[in-house]
Amino acid sequence: EDMTSLLLTALQKGIVPGPDDHNVVELMVEAYHRKLHHTALRLELVIRNVLFGRRVADMKLAIHRNRLLRTNVQIAISSVSVAMCGAVASLWGMNIPVPFQHQQALVEGAFA
């Protein structure tokens, strides 16, 4: 009786469904269940594909970020090296008296 009460079009037209008409309703419910189950499986597949794409994009971004960080560290090391050389050069280039600067032999020996 429950299944035959689902034949809404027949009930609306005033047709009283018979006891064997529940097979039609059962087939329709099974077909809709299959479609719903298939749609749920496809939705799960799409969600997995989206998550996979997101992980791949995260990995690519991590690779580029690591390259940028490595380049940044290399530039920082180069800058410190140049700064150290500049500091040493500035110490030798200042206008302060350097010990033994008037002894030519020691100056030539230091820069030879």
Side-chain angles (χ1 to χ4, degrees):
E1 291 180 17
D2 290 338
M3 289 229 184
T4 54
S5 66
L6 291 175
L7 291 172
L8 299 178
T9 307
L11 292 175
Q12 188 178 21
K13 290 182 180 180
I15 302 171
V16 178
D20 294 331
D21 290 337
H22 71 83
N23 289 334
V24 174
V25 175
E26 187 175 349
L27 289 175
M28 287 175 29
V29 169
E30 286 178 1
Y32 287 133
H33 179 265
R34 266 195 315 277
K35 283 184 181 181
L36 183 64
H37 183 67
H38 180 69
T39 304
L41 290 176
R42 288 184 64 203
L43 181 63
E44 185 178 334
L45 181 66
V46 168
I47 289 172
R48 284 184 185 176
N49 287 339
V50 167
L51 291 176
F52 176 74
R54 181 196 239 174
R55 287 185 194 125
V56 168
D58 287 343
M59 280 191 233
K60 286 181 180 182
L61 287 174
I63 289 169
H64 289 295
R65 184 180 66 237
N66 288 338
R67 286 181 186 165
L68 286 172
L69 289 174
R70 184 178 60 220
T71 304
N72 191 16
V73 168
Q74 290 173 345
I75 290 172
I77 290 172
S78 312
S79 300
V80 169
S81 300
V82 169
M84 293 297 290
C85 293
V88 170
S90 68
L91 287 176
W92 286 103
M94 281 192 215
N95 293 328
I96 58 170
V98 179
F100 309 111
Q101 74 181 13
H102 297 297
Q103 295 179 0
Q104 192 65 24
L106 288 176
V107 174
E108 289 175 3
F111 294 109

